[in-house]
Amino acid sequence: MEKINKKICVITGGSSGIGLATAFRMGRKGYTLVLAARTPAKMEKAIARLKEEQLEVTACRCDISDWESVQKMAAYAQSLGEVSIVLHIAGMSPHMGNAEAIMRGNALGTVHIHDAFYPILARGGCLVDTSSMSAYLTPEFIMPKKAFPLASTDRDAFLRKMVARVNLLPPKSRAGAAYAISKYFVIQYAKKEAARFGKRGVRVLSITPGNFDTPMGELEKEEAANYLRYNAIQRLGRPDEIAALFAAVSDPEMGYLTGCDILCDGGCIAGGAKALGG
């Protein structure tokens, strides 16, 4: 792609579900899209669908749990134009790996995204992280908050302490706990990072989805059905509904919105939802 005043929007997890729906939204707003995902076959299908609408899009294979991989992805995005927006939507559910893999992908991966894009995001830009409703459902007392500051100073020690907390729990609970703890961390980290990025004129915030009709949501459909009774809106969310939120909060016109989390869950938490079995 020729680099002529292009405004780049990077979307991790952009090959399906919420990420792909958001890619359509951002592409229609005139951004050149860089989709980052682990699975080439899924990316190829996503790219083909986006190009059917004449949207400008390219793909970059990236494992967000690997620092070198994320650095290469950031450098590639920068080579195409001005990196204006990073929408970090990729993540691992409890059904997609063991506790350590989930912690590496969701918690450490978010740190990697922040550190790689901090030097290159354009003034007036925005970085949006993605959490999960489980961060609100899980009791705070299990959260290893003292480990969180290590994310900014010693990533290896950060990961060790996060995994150590999970390993205190029964084996069958560890994947779910790793997911909840990692997603709670994402919210707190985005809030903390708002000040650092703010010095460069960049906004940082997080969005927390509830239960949505996506491929990842399909893996958790039985659990999601149990939570629907708490919803004010008695159905699963549609990907395009939360894609509209990602597009809205990242718009430069929302220039005073930073350092916060936005819960988009159909009213489930407000309806009194608690962790299953809690």
Side-chain angles (χ1 to χ4, degrees):
M1 287 188 183
E2 190 177 358
K3 184 176 179 179
I4 305 177
N5 299 322
K6 292 184 183 295
K7 290 191 177 294
I8 308 299
C9 174
V10 176
I11 303 177
T12 69
S15 60
S16 65
I18 291 170
L20 180 57
T22 303
F24 276 105
R25 289 254 178 188
M26 300 307 292
R28 291 168 189 148
K29 293 179 75 170
Y31 288 95
T32 295
L33 305 170
V34 174
L35 302 190
R38 291 184 303 171
T39 310
K42 287 176 66 176
M43 278 199 293
E44 289 171 9
K45 291 180 181 178
I47 295 292
R49 289 180 58 188
L50 290 159
K51 286 187 174 179
E52 285 175 2
E53 288 202 16
Q54 285 73 55
L55 302 180
E56 193 163 4
V57 57
T58 186
C60 183
R61 186 172 183 178
C62 180
D63 176 358
I64 60 172
S65 70
D66 180 79
W67 171 233
E68 185 176 342
S69 181
V70 176
Q71 284 182 299
K72 288 179 179 178
M73 183 260 289
Y76 174 68
Q78 187 180 31
S79 75
L80 300 177
E82 179 182 271
V83 181
S84 301
I85 297 173
V86 176
L87 304 178
H88 178 34
I89 302 175
M92 293 183 66
S93 82
H95 301 276
M96 296 170 68
N98 62 31
E100 183 171 343
I102 291 166
M103 199 66 78
R104 283 184 180 275
N106 295 347
L108 191 61
T110 298
V111 176
H112 289 161
I113 291 292
H114 281 231
D115 286 349
F117 283 98
Y118 175 78
I120 66 175
L121 263 163
R123 180 167 290 275
C126 186
L127 190 165
V128 184
D129 294 315
T130 308
S131 182
S132 161
M133 189 173 71
S134 65
Y136 285 83
L137 294 169
T138 305
E140 283 197 28
F141 71 83
I142 78 163
M143 303 299 173
K145 296 180 185 179
K146 290 182 180 179
F148 292 178
L150 290 169
S152 303
T153 60
D154 189 335
R155 293 182 201 149
D156 291 338
F158 166 70
L159 183 64
R160 284 198 305 271
K161 287 185 178 293
M162 295 285 276
V163 173
R165 174 57 59 91
V166 173
N167 287 342
L168 294 175
L169 301 171
K172 67 177 182 179
S173 303
R174 289 176 186 171
Y179 182 72
I181 291 171
S182 65
K183 290 300 189 178
Y184 180 89
F185 165 77
V186 167
I187 293 174
Q188 306 309 316
Y189 187 64
K191 290 178 179 179
K192 174 182 176 295
E193 286 280 270
R196 179 166 76 116
F197 279 78
K199 292 175 182 176
R200 300 195 66 254
V202 175
R203 298 182 296 116
V204 177
L205 62 148
S206 59
I207 287 176
T208 293
N211 294 306
F212 279 78
D213 186 9
T214 64
M216 185 179 289
E218 180 67 18
L219 296 174
E220 302 166 353
K221 62 182 180 181
E222 292 182 10
E223 185 174 344
N226 288 322
Y227 281 118
L228 277 178
R229 68 182 185 273
Y230 296 104
N231 276 31
I233 300 172
Q234 284 283 303
R235 60 171 174 81
L236 296 175
R238 295 186 289 269
D240 194 54
E241 291 173 314
I242 196 163
L245 179 58
F246 277 99
V249 302
S250 60
D251 193 295
E253 292 188 354
M254 301 290 280
Y256 206 55
L257 183 68
T258 193
C260 62
D261 180 63
I262 300 175
L263 178 63
C264 184
D265 68 343
C268 187
I269 297 300
K274 298 178 181 179
L276 293 179

